[in-house]
Amino acid sequence: MEPMQQKSVTAVNRSAWLTRFMTGFLWKLVRLVLLVGISYVILYPIILKISIAFKDKQDLYNKTVVWIPKNFTLDNFKLVLQVIDYPKVLLNTVLLSGGTMILQMITCALAGYAFAKLKFKGSNLLFILVVFTILVPPQTIMVPTYALYKNFDIFGIIELFTGKPGINLIGTYWPFIISSGLAMGLKTGLFIYIFRQFFRGIPKEIEEAAYMDGAGILTTFLRVMLPNAVPAIVTVMLFAFVWQWNDTYFSTLVLINPDLMSAKVATVAGQIASYLATEAGMVTSTGNIDPFYLSMLSNTLILLAILPLVVMYFFAQRYFVESVERTGLVG
């Protein structure tokens, strides 16, 4: 090869290498910017609330204090814990969220398996209706839902034997148990869809082998299909727990003065203001509650409300990420 041709080939190789290098560098830079930007948007409110929760009241009016408090204190936590009875509220919320999570996992897994593996007339239409429930705003069925649990009856049996229009379940936890146990709870349409897509991805030969060994439908579901659906189970359980934890619509609809975390967060400003005015006597010279101090205490309660979810995420993040990846690949 002549020297001029060698130089030309070398120049082309260098140009190609430089192009690949710049393309890879720019792509990594774009991913880094997106990662930092998204992380900032997600973590900024949490970091801000942590900073506010540990500030003393004096730091609110100190212009030199931005992120790191000058006077660290735990008084905000003590006051909030006293106002809302945090241990009781936390226990109630954990029991309710955990109970509905288990019931929704069981019923949605059964429904998802039926839609995926059992063929019957109208199955496609029923599944379309299930998916449609995801799109329906819950406010549109607020009145029927309240009326259902205000005079709860099963095919008129209660009215037939007692002469009363039904049982009033408003103010109890039975609406959560009934709705979750019958696959009508929060986001159950989405959970059924997740299970259906996962079960459809399991090879049919595994199911047929169980039938050949003499297993029935329920035995196959419990011993073969369900153990292979661990990724979908983890995804649904985490979503169900978090959504019930953060729910305010259904909780305030069927419960009277609910001792739940989401309800306390929604009404914390009024409770703290009442406590400061009546018991603590912390009012300004004009007779009003200091709004900045009230906002500080509200942020402290919000931090306490999300703290259990953050702790749960740290312990379950590996299983959650794996379950989401596996669910997406199989589905």
Side-chain angles (χ1 to χ4, degrees):
M1 183 179 293
E2 297 180 1
M4 291 298 295
Q5 292 178 341
Q6 291 180 351
K7 292 180 179 180
S8 178
V9 171
T10 304
V12 171
N13 291 337
R14 288 178 178 177
S15 178
W17 177 84
L18 183 61
T19 302
R20 290 195 300 269
F21 174 78
M22 291 301 297
T23 303
F25 175 76
L26 290 175
W27 174 238
K28 291 179 181 178
L29 181 62
V30 170
R31 287 190 299 178
L32 177 62
V33 172
L34 288 175
L35 181 62
V36 172
I38 295 173
S39 300
Y40 174 79
V41 172
I42 295 174
L43 296 177
Y44 173 78
I46 299 177
I47 297 175
L48 181 62
K49 284 175 173 50
I50 294 175
S51 174
I52 292 174
F54 289 98
K55 285 182 179 179
D56 189 75
K57 189 176 181 180
Q58 299 175 0
D59 294 335
L60 290 174
Y61 305 99
N62 190 340
K63 295 182 179 180
T64 62
V65 176
V66 180
W67 289 101
I68 302 177
K70 191 174 182 179
N71 301 294
F72 281 91
T73 181
L74 296 176
D75 291 341
N76 298 331
F77 291 96
K78 294 178 182 178
L79 193 147
V80 169
L81 293 175
Q82 185 175 357
V83 170
I84 69 165
D85 194 5
Y86 184 79
K88 177 183 177 181
V89 173
L90 178 63
L91 179 61
N92 291 342
T93 309
V94 169
L95 291 177
L96 178 61
S97 300
T100 56
M101 172 191 69
I102 294 173
L103 290 174
Q104 283 186 307
M105 187 275 294
I106 295 173
T107 55
C108 292
L110 287 169
Y113 177 70
F115 282 122
K117 297 298 184 180
L118 305 180
K119 301 301 179 182
F120 53 92
K121 287 186 177 181
S123 60
N124 292 331
L125 177 61
L126 287 176
F127 182 70
I128 292 174
L129 295 177
V130 168
V131 175
F132 184 71
T133 60
I134 305 175
L135 308 176
V136 176
Q139 291 79 8
T140 59
I141 57 174
M142 178 176 63
V143 175
T145 302
Y146 183 85
L148 172 66
Y149 295 114
K150 177 67 176 177
N151 299 299
F152 184 78
D153 201 348
I154 304 176
F155 302 113
I157 296 177
I158 297 177
E159 185 177 4
L160 178 64
F161 286 97
T162 64
K164 298 180 180 180
I167 302 175
N168 182 13
L169 299 180
I170 299 298
T172 68
Y173 290 103
W174 278 106
F176 298 94
I177 299 173
I178 293 172
S179 60
S180 299
L182 298 178
M184 299 187 304
L186 293 172
K187 310 295 182 179
T188 48
L190 176 62
F191 301 153
I192 292 174
Y193 177 81
I194 291 175
F195 275 116
R196 176 184 179 268
Q197 296 302 101
F198 192 91
F199 286 133
R200 288 185 64 183
I202 296 179
K204 190 176 181 180
E205 291 75 14
I206 297 177
E207 188 180 11
E208 292 176 348
Y211 291 151
M212 292 293 293
D213 292 338
I217 294 177
L218 185 60
T219 303
T220 302
F221 170 74
L222 293 176
R223 296 188 177 182
V224 179
M225 305 300 286
L226 206 58
N228 286 286
V230 173
I233 292 173
V234 173
T235 302
V236 168
M237 290 181 70
L238 287 175
F239 281 160
F241 187 90
V242 172
W243 269 321
Q244 181 59 58
W245 184 283
N246 294 326
D247 172 63
T248 56
Y249 165 75
F250 196 60
S251 300
T252 55
L253 178 66
V254 300
L255 293 178
I256 302 172
N257 297 324
D259 285 331
L260 299 175
M261 198 67 68
S262 58
K264 294 298 182 181
V265 170
T267 60
V268 62
Q271 295 183 33
I272 294 177
S274 176
Y275 176 84
L276 294 178
T278 57
E279 298 188 28
M282 295 183 181
V283 295
T284 62
S285 57
T286 59
N288 299 320
I289 304 296
D290 187 348
F292 298 105
Y293 184 57
L294 184 61
S295 176
M296 174 190 288
L297 297 176
S298 299
N299 279 278
T300 303
L301 176 59
I302 294 173
L303 179 63
L304 289 174
I306 65 176
L307 182 61
L309 299 180
V310 174
V311 173
M312 182 183 70
Y313 172 75
F314 276 121
F315 284 100
Q317 60 175 330
R318 181 170 65 88
Y319 303 100
F320 176 68
V321 173
E322 291 178 357
S323 65
V324 171
E325 290 179 351
R326 180 76 188 278
T327 304
L329 289 175
V330 175

